[in-house]
Every structure is written in C-alpha cells, then in structure tokens.
Amino acid sequence: MIADTSAPRSNLPAHVSSFIGRQDELAEIARLLGERRLITLTGPGGTGKTRLALRAAANEVDHFPDGVWLVELAPLAGPELVVETIAKVLRTPKAGEQDPLEHLGALLALRRLLVVLDNCEHLLDECARVTAYLLMNCPSLVVLATSREPLGIGGEWVLRVPPLGLPEPTDPLDIERLLEHDAIRLFVERARAAEPSFRLTSVTAPAVVEICRTLDGIPLALELAAMRVRGMGVAHLGARLDDRFRLLTSGDRAGEPRQRTLYAAVDWSYGLLPERERVVMRRLGVFIGNFSLKAAEAVCVDVDTDADAHGQAPITAEGMLDDLTRLVDKSLAQFDQDTALYRLLETIRRYCLERQAEAGETNYVNRQRFAYYLQLAENGVAHIGGPGEEAWFAQIEQEHDNFRGALAWAIQAGRTDEAARLALGVWKFWHTRIYQREGLRWLQQILALDATRPLPDSLRPSFFNALGVLAHSSGRFEESIAYHTEAQRLWTIAGDEAGMAQACVDIAWLYFDRARLDEALPYAEEGLARAERVGDERLLAGALMARDAVAVQSGRLEGVIPDLERILAIWRKLGDLDSQASTLAFMGATYQQSGEYERSKPFIAESLRLHVRLGAYGELISSFVGLHFLSASMAETREQALDAARVIGVMKAWEQYMYAMSSPWWESDAEKVLRSTIIEKIGREGMERGIAEGQRMTTAEIVALCERLTAPSQPTGASTSSTSSAPPAPPAPPAPRETPEAPQAGLTRREVEVLRLVAKGLTNAQVAQALVITPRTVNAHLTAIYAKIGVTSRSGAIRYALEHQLD
C-alpha cells in the first residue's frame, strides 16, 4: 500500500508550553523506537508520561511514512471502545460484518506507522489484547504506550519515567548549577510565565529548592505550584505545601479533569486499584522515606487474619511481596534495586494518609509501625560494639525517617515507657553518626513526659546516662554533668556496680574534655576499680582508656602502651571497630608524647581511615588530635607548616560542627608552643590561610592530608650502621568488608574515574559535567560500581574509594 502524501501524517497536538529536560529519556526512546515495536512509558501520575510520549513521537514523524498517531484512551468508559477509537483515529473504513479487530489488523498489515496509546491503565486488559494482536499481524507497526503499569505482553520494553532531576541535599545553592536540574528549570520557567517579575536569586533559591524537593520533582505538581507564585511568592508557597492537595488546585482548564489538580492525578490511580491493593497502599502511607519488605509485612497485615474486613481474604505477611510488586508495577510505589528498599513519593504518601484517616486506620497502622521499629531497635542493641554494628547502623541510616516517625508517634501518644525503649535502642547510632543534637532533643522530649507519666525505674539510669553522653557530644557540658550525676545516683541506689563504673568513666571523660585533669582523675580511677570488680571486659577496656588518657596528658607514660595493647586486644576480640579506631589514635598520641613521632604515624593513619570507613565522624577528634601534634611537631618546611595549619582548620571546623564552641585545650601551654612553632615558619598570615583551607576540606581531602603527613620520613645521610630501628607497623587492622583486593578489580577505566569524582564529593550532575557524559550515564556507572565493589549506597562507594586511595 502506498502512503497518501496529501493526507495528514499526524494528529499530534501542537506544543503550547515549552518542553523542559528529559533529554536522556528522549534519546533512549528514539533508540528504542528503532529497535523495538512496543515501548511502554510507566510512572506515577503527574510525571509527564503523556508529554514525553508526544515529544518523542513528534520527533519520529519523518521516520514513519504512514504517520504518527495519538489515540487518547483516558476518556473511554469501557473496553469495547478501544478498537473503535483506534480505527477512528487512523481513519480506517468501518468493519461491516467482520470482527473489528481483525478488520483493523488487515488494514494496517502493510502500513509503516507509529501509534501512541495514551493512558492505558484503566483499560489495561483490552489494551494488551488489542496491541498483541496488531503487533502480531502488522509487522511494520510500532506502538508507544503510556500507562501507570506495563501492558504485560511479549516483546514489551518498559521504560519507567522518573520524576525530574533534583539537586542533592548537600549541593551548594549555586544559581547556575541549580538550573542544570530539570525540576528547578521547569518550576522557574513556569513561575516566570505566571509572574514575569519572578527571578531565581540567592534569596528565592532556598525556597525554590525546598518546593521542588517537597513535590518530589513531579512535573504536574511543579507546574501547579508555579502558578501560585503570582499570588503568594515562593516563601509562603513553600511553607504551605504540607496542605498540597488543597493548595495546588489550579490547573489547565483545557486538560483532562484528572490532570487539573494534583489530588485528581493521584486519585485516578487509586480508584483503579482493586480493594485489597487500596488497603495495602493507604497503610503504606505511614512509612516516611525508605522501608523494607519486612517492615511492610509487619505494618500492613490484618491482625485478625480470620476477618473478612475488605470483602476478601485477609492481608497477610505471606502475600505482601506480591502486593508490593503490583503497586511498583502500577508506579504507586518505588523500589530501589541497590538497597532492596521501597518508598512512596511524598505526594502519594500524603494522599495515602488521607485515605488512611477516612478508613479509621491511622492509629492502627501507627501502632503497628511503632511495634515493628521498637522490636528492630531492641534486637539491634546486641550488634552495637560488635562485628554487626556497621551493618546495623547502616540499616538505621536507611530507615532513619521511620524510626523518627515511630518515636514521634509514641511521644505524642504519651507512651513514655515505649518511647524511652526505642530511643535507648538507637541513641548510640545518634552519637556515633553525629545526630547527637537530634538525639538529645528526642530524649529531652521523653523526659518532659516523665512528670506526668514516669519512666519505669528499670530504664531511668540508662536513660540519664544516654542523655549525659549526647549532651556531652553536643557541647552542653553543664547539662551533661547533671545527667551523668543523676545516672550515677540511680545506679548507686540500685546497687549496680557496672552502672556506677560506667557513670564514673563518662564523668571522667567529661572533665578530661574540659581540660580539668585533677577532677577527671579520681572518677577515672574509681571507674577502673569498679570495672575490675565487675570483670566485664568491655567495661574494663573503656575504664582503662579513660584512666590512661588522663595519665598521658598529665605526663605519666609508664605502663600506658602495655595497657593500650591489652585494650586493643579486647576490642579486637569483641569486634568493636569504633573503639579499635579510637585506641589506635591514642596509641599514636602516646608515642608522640615520648617523642617517637615516626612510630606514631601508622597508628594515626589507620585510626582516621577506620573512623571514616565506619562513618564514625563523631569520634574523629581522637585521630585529629594525633595528626595535629604530629604535623606541628615535625614541620620543617613551609609546606609542612601549612599542612599543620590545615590540620588545625580541620579540627576547628569539626569542633564548631560538634560543639559550636572552642575547646579549652586550645589554651593549654603545650598547644600555645605548637602554634608558635607553626607561625615561626609561615607567619600569622600563612597560619590563617592554612586554617581557612583546612576548614573547607572535604572528607576525601582530609584523608589525603593524613596520608601525606603520616607517610614514612626519608632521612637524609642515614648510615647503614645506624642503630635506630624502623618504627613498627600498628597491629593488623580489622579486615574491611568484602571488596576486591585491587581497586580496579572488575572496574572499567571510566568507572574508576566516576568513583574518584564521587569520592571528592561531586554530585552526579557535576560528575557528568566533568566527564562530558549525561547524568543518566553516571547513574548507570554507579549502579555497576556498587555491584562490583559490594556496596549498596553512595557513602559505601566513597568509603571504598578512600580505603583504596582512589580519592
């Protein structure tokens, strides 16, 4: 059949508004249209599947001699209209007595055309049947479909359409770089269309970024929000987005009703679900951020499994995987292949919360969620200070928002006992991963409940001890003393020798950090005496460390190194990596006190690397102190003195972040001598420059600085008959998690380049710019890298790069 060149070759609508971004997706669709015959674009409501399909189809008009045709299915009320509608769009003759689908297939058999089937989800079975038949009988036909779930037929290529790209939370608010992100660009352009005076400036940028993040980068939501800029500005708009479904109601009056408001877009998808999936979906709304399959199984099930509350079989844990899979297929839940965790877009989650409240299930699902995370936290305590701590803390990090949500619910419900139990299960994570201020706030909120709903006596001393540690690490020393003193009093009343020992040790460290050694010493000695009576190895190692720290700073070094070797052996036996790192740093500092700087180097280097690998940034000060004394004491050249000043800058930045105040140790006589030594070599201006550079250093740069400062010295003119012995290496460090022996094992040259840039703190967009590739390609490289080096997150990849000196 010869195409009629005089007839229209497309019914695609003309573009009214500009098309923002999606260049990677357009390129991928163009490639697939040359290789595949059925491509289905899937994604949540409002992500712009239709607009993307139309733009991609418009680019293909010259490649299909019989045309590119849009078949809009959203208005159709029943499946019987699908074939009729396709035939009408393609202007084929009526079927007469012949079966309509067979008639259509015969007419299209020799045509080379592209058909866009838009919005298949509510007629999915019929769309699948019709498409399968036509593709089988029309060899030159290509179909581009949009649907919130795949058609599920042979030969289908599913391309998920994600929300628009957003800046990383840690990205600087650089105006030009912000506009490289499609979500920001779309919002800004639509806002300027609504209000021509609007500009993205240093004043408006924070609110714009927050709006785009809050709306998940969903194009429909961004366009609706941008329309509101004219009447309320971005600051007020951002503050009111918690009520987004009522706020974002102005849409394109010419569009489909379900696309005019954000609520309607989500409600359309929800309405297509069978009742069982609606129940599961609305219950999933209780999860904030990431959640696991186990969490969903625990939270969404019907407690009374004999009940027929939904007119069907009860929702059970055994069926949850299938339920989640169906919701992922329908673009209502997201699944991360790297972490094996699920999440709902925040906009969908908010909708689910409303449906949850309507069903009277809010308290039920919150109670279920709390019970799950409480049990998870209490079971996880056994891993702290052992070989399982790293994995346990990584799990908390991934689901931290849900631990927070569970805790907030318990506090609001006045469940003092249960809230305290959950907080005591995760407080050491808060302390180690530098959420100490947040942890302190949570515990203080629980303490406020104590006046009316008292904590049980069994929890009170441990609770006050946790308050003391978190207050200490937040720089609130007077509060910390009060909390620790109360913990000590309660443990004394209970006759708990181990508790009294722990309180003494914690108070000793508190006075030590304030440079009050005379007050620290009696607590350290009492803590050690009690720990020895208890006979607990962990407690004994901690008490020895406190006592020896005071001794070393007081100039008493005798017996300290053997003690530290004993302590290190205990930590190794227990598998406590955090404590091993701190002990290595202390060993290095102790060697420095006796002038053995070369001997201290490998201990300091290993300590810092281990702290970074574990993400134990709250404990890094022990490594920094050793690095500071080493660099200042051994600086001979101007560059070495600048490095010593940079270390001071690193310490100052850490101190401000942790405590927001300066340590009294900076005013000690020994410290003044060290600073004077540096200033003699580079002057005060050089000192200030070095400190400023250190304050701006990234983690990767700090590790590189440490490697430079702890490299073995190369003595000049050394005699072969010298009697000085080479410094020993530190005890063998713990084996890292399973990673390839060589950093390039299995990695391509390009993957190594990507990993290096990621380790320097660059975002995907910045890596793409540096390597002249697309962000989508960077993401593909990272997915491959994660699989090859055995990690599941960006932080894991950075730690790997640091461990293998790829930074």
Side-chain angles (χ1 to χ4, degrees):
M1 181 179 294
I2 300 175
D4 179 2
T5 56
S6 65
R9 295 176 55 208
S10 171
N11 69 336
L12 299 178
H15 301 301
V16 178
S17 59
S18 60
F19 186 84
I20 303 293
R22 299 291 194 201
Q23 297 309 307
D24 288 340
E25 287 86 352
L26 285 170
E28 180 71 359
I29 294 170
R31 182 185 70 80
L32 290 170
L33 287 172
E35 300 173 358
R36 305 275 175 172
R37 298 185 56 220
L38 172 59
I39 301 101
T40 304
L41 307 184
T42 68
T47 51
K49 298 182 294 296
T50 296
R51 185 172 289 190
L52 176 60
L54 293 178
R55 175 54 63 104
N59 294 339
E60 299 294 324
V61 170
D62 292 338
H63 300 150
F64 290 89
D66 291 302
V68 175
W69 305 96
L70 169 64
V71 180
E72 297 180 284
L73 301 174
L76 304 190
E80 68 281 358
L81 299 174
V82 172
V83 174
E84 178 184 325
T85 302
I86 295 174
K88 185 175 181 180
V89 168
L90 297 178
R91 302 172 186 176
T92 59
K94 292 188 179 294
E97 297 299 321
Q98 189 179 8
D99 178 83
L101 181 57
E102 292 178 3
H103 178 70
L104 180 62
L107 292 174
L108 301 182
L110 298 179
R111 292 192 188 183
R112 170 72 174 158
L113 72 164
L114 171 63
V115 174
V116 179
L117 294 180
D118 189 34
N119 295 298
C120 299
E121 54 269 358
H122 65 306
L123 303 168
L124 199 65
D125 290 342
E126 181 65 4
C127 287
R129 184 184 76 87
V130 170
T131 301
Y133 180 87
L134 292 177
L135 290 174
M136 182 178 296
N137 292 278
C138 309
S140 296
L141 171 68
V142 178
V143 175
L144 176 61
T146 75
S147 177
R148 300 192 188 174
E149 62 179 305
L151 300 187
I153 60 179
E156 179 181 32
W157 186 275
V158 178
L159 184 64
R160 296 194 182 277
V161 179
L164 293 177
L166 291 162
E168 297 283 345
T170 55
D171 283 358
L173 291 177
D174 181 289
I175 304 302
E176 290 186 7
R177 289 199 170 181
L178 284 178
L179 289 172
E180 294 173 1
H181 300 280
D182 291 346
I184 305 294
R185 279 204 300 136
L186 176 65
F187 179 86
V188 170
E189 181 162 319
R190 298 298 189 262
R192 290 191 65 182
E195 175 50 68
S197 66
F198 174 77
R199 294 290 184 276
L200 184 67
T201 67
S202 58
V203 174
T204 60
V208 169
V209 171
E210 185 60 28
I211 289 167
C212 293
R213 283 206 186 105
T214 301
L215 296 176
D216 302 304
I218 297 175
L220 173 62
L222 296 176
E223 296 200 4
L224 293 173
M227 293 180 189
R228 290 286 187 174
V229 170
R230 180 172 53 233
M232 60 195 311
V234 290
H236 292 301
L237 175 62
R240 295 186 59 191
L241 280 181
D242 279 349
D243 197 20
R244 67 193 71 185
F245 290 123
R246 290 165 185 81
L247 181 65
L248 306 184
T249 55
S250 298
D252 181 358
R253 293 185 178 90
E256 287 290 331
R258 63 190 176 78
Q259 292 177 331
R260 291 180 194 164
T261 72
L262 186 59
Y263 181 92
V266 181
D267 194 54
W268 165 267
S269 294
Y270 186 77
L272 296 176
L273 296 176
E275 180 60 23
R276 176 191 178 86
E277 290 174 30
R278 292 187 197 182
V279 175
V280 172
M281 179 179 162
R282 71 177 180 242
R283 290 178 181 177
L284 291 175
V286 77
F287 291 110
I288 308 167
N290 298 320
F291 59 91
S292 66
L293 173 61
K294 287 185 177 179
E297 289 172 344
V299 170
C300 295
V301 298
D302 290 320
V303 172
D304 183 0
T305 55
D306 294 326
D308 192 18
H310 321 296
Q312 59 192 15
I315 296 169
T316 63
E318 291 73 20
M320 188 53 54
L321 178 59
D322 290 339
D323 294 328
L324 278 171
T325 300
R326 284 191 289 268
L327 290 174
V328 170
D329 286 343
K330 294 171 182 176
S331 306
L332 292 169
Q334 314 292 307
F335 179 69
D336 189 320
Q337 295 286 348
D338 293 336
T339 63
L341 295 174
Y342 299 85
R343 66 184 291 266
L344 301 184
L345 293 177
E346 184 62 17
T347 296
I348 292 176
R349 192 182 80 84
R350 296 275 180 171
Y351 175 88
C352 291
L353 291 176
E354 291 193 4
R355 304 287 75 73
Q356 199 182 100
E358 281 181 2
E361 293 182 336
T362 300
N363 192 58
Y364 170 79
V365 292
N366 272 283
R367 188 170 63 249
Q368 293 285 92
R369 177 185 61 175
F370 180 82
Y372 172 77
Y373 284 102
L374 174 60
Q375 183 178 22
L376 194 63
E378 293 189 325
N379 291 343
V381 169
H383 299 301
I384 297 175
E389 179 182 283
E390 188 175 2
W392 166 232
F393 281 1
Q395 183 176 359
I396 299 178
E397 190 79 68
Q398 289 177 329
E399 298 189 63
H400 196 186
D401 286 335
N402 283 305
F403 281 99
R404 289 166 169 147
L407 189 53
W409 176 81
I411 291 172
Q412 187 175 12
R415 296 169 174 254
T416 314
D417 178 0
E418 292 175 309
R421 286 166 55 197
L422 178 55
L424 288 173
V426 298
W427 79 268
K428 288 189 178 178
F429 162 82
W430 289 329
H431 173 65
T432 302
R433 295 294 179 92
I434 57 177
Y435 293 100
Q436 68 281 355
R437 289 190 182 89
E438 178 185 343
L440 182 60
R441 288 194 298 270
W442 284 120
L443 266 65
Q444 288 177 329
Q445 288 180 55
I446 297 169
L447 187 62
L449 299 175
D450 184 57
T452 54
R453 302 182 183 183
L455 284 164
D457 291 342
S458 59
L459 296 180
R460 294 183 75 83
S462 296
F463 190 81
F464 277 98
N465 175 69
L467 276 165
V469 174
L470 292 172
H472 180 179
S473 61
S474 300
R476 300 167 73 164
F477 299 103
E478 296 306 319
E479 289 179 44
S480 181
I481 280 288
Y483 290 138
H484 279 310
T485 301
E486 177 63 8
Q488 184 183 39
R489 184 185 73 83
L490 292 169
W491 270 320
T492 302
I493 292 172
D496 187 332
E497 188 82 8
M500 287 186 277
Q502 186 63 59
C504 287
V505 170
D506 289 335
I507 294 172
W509 280 119
L510 186 63
Y511 282 124
F512 177 89
D513 282 352
R514 303 312 293 162
R516 292 156 64 174
L517 299 181
D518 289 344
E519 292 167 276
L521 182 59
Y523 282 104
E525 289 180 336
E526 181 182 347
L528 178 57
R530 292 185 182 278
E532 287 174 335
R533 287 198 291 272
V534 171
D536 179 88
E537 284 189 309
R538 184 183 301 280
L539 189 58
L540 179 61
L544 268 173
M545 272 282 279
R547 197 277 307 273
D548 287 349
V550 176
V552 169
Q553 290 303 316
S554 302
R556 299 188 295 273
L557 304 180
E558 186 177 354
V560 171
I561 290 296
D563 279 350
L564 292 175
E565 291 172 345
R566 178 187 177 191
I567 292 168
L568 194 60
I570 292 173
W571 297 142
R572 290 238 167 97
K573 176 182 174 183
L574 297 173
D576 188 334
L577 300 181
D578 285 347
S579 297
Q580 286 179 53
S582 297
T583 305
L584 288 167
F586 191 26
M587 290 181 81
T590 303
Y591 279 122
Q592 290 172 19
Q593 288 290 327
S594 59
E596 298 181 85
Y597 297 109
E598 283 298 319
R599 183 169 286 198
S600 76
K601 285 181 176 181
F603 293 95
I604 300 298
E606 181 57 32
S607 167
L608 188 136
R609 280 196 168 272
L610 189 51
H611 274 137
V612 169
R613 170 193 148 187
L614 297 171
Y617 297 107
E619 308 295 337
L620 269 174
I621 191 61
S622 60
S623 303
F624 291 159
V625 167
L627 198 61
H628 169 48
F629 277 88
L630 177 69
S631 61
S633 301
M634 297 193 71
E636 295 180 353
T637 67
R638 177 176 177 79
E639 188 56 37
Q640 288 172 340
L642 271 173
D643 273 348
R646 291 176 183 121
V647 174
I648 293 176
V650 169
M651 295 177 71
K652 291 282 189 181
W654 181 93
E655 188 177 67
Q656 281 301 307
Y657 182 82
M658 293 292 292
Y659 295 153
M661 64 176 65
S662 183
S663 167
W665 282 106
W666 290 113
E667 301 307 316
S668 69
D669 292 339
E671 176 56 35
K672 290 175 182 176
V673 170
L674 286 176
R675 289 206 301 271
S676 296
T677 302
I678 299 170
I679 291 171
E680 284 175 8
K681 292 180 173 61
I682 57 175
R684 293 193 178 277
E685 185 176 335
M687 180 74 146
E688 291 174 1
R689 173 192 150 196
I691 290 174
E693 289 175 357
Q695 288 175 317
R696 295 192 297 268
M697 279 187 166
T698 64
T699 301
E701 290 168 339
I702 292 168
V703 173
L705 175 64
C706 177
E707 294 295 329
R708 187 163 67 243
L709 292 171
T710 57
S713 297
Q714 300 296 325
T716 57
S719 169
T720 55
S721 61
S722 172
T723 58
S724 61
S725 59
R737 290 166 299 172
E738 293 183 7
T739 52
E741 291 184 2
Q744 287 81 15
L747 296 180
T748 66
R749 180 178 298 178
R750 177 63 89 183
E751 287 167 352
V752 171
E753 290 175 339
V754 169
L755 186 53
R756 281 200 176 100
L757 294 175
V758 168
K760 291 182 181 295
L762 273 65
T763 65
N764 285 13
Q766 292 166 337
V767 173
Q769 186 177 28
L771 298 179
V772 197
I773 56 179
T774 67
R776 176 185 284 272
T777 302
V778 174
N779 190 58
H781 281 314
L782 282 175
T783 300
I785 290 167
Y786 293 169
K788 290 178 181 180
I789 66 177
V791 302
T792 59
S793 65
R794 195 180 193 88
S795 60
I798 292 172
R799 286 199 294 271
Y800 176 91
L802 296 176
E803 290 166 12
H804 293 87
Q805 301 183 38
L806 289 178
D807 46 281

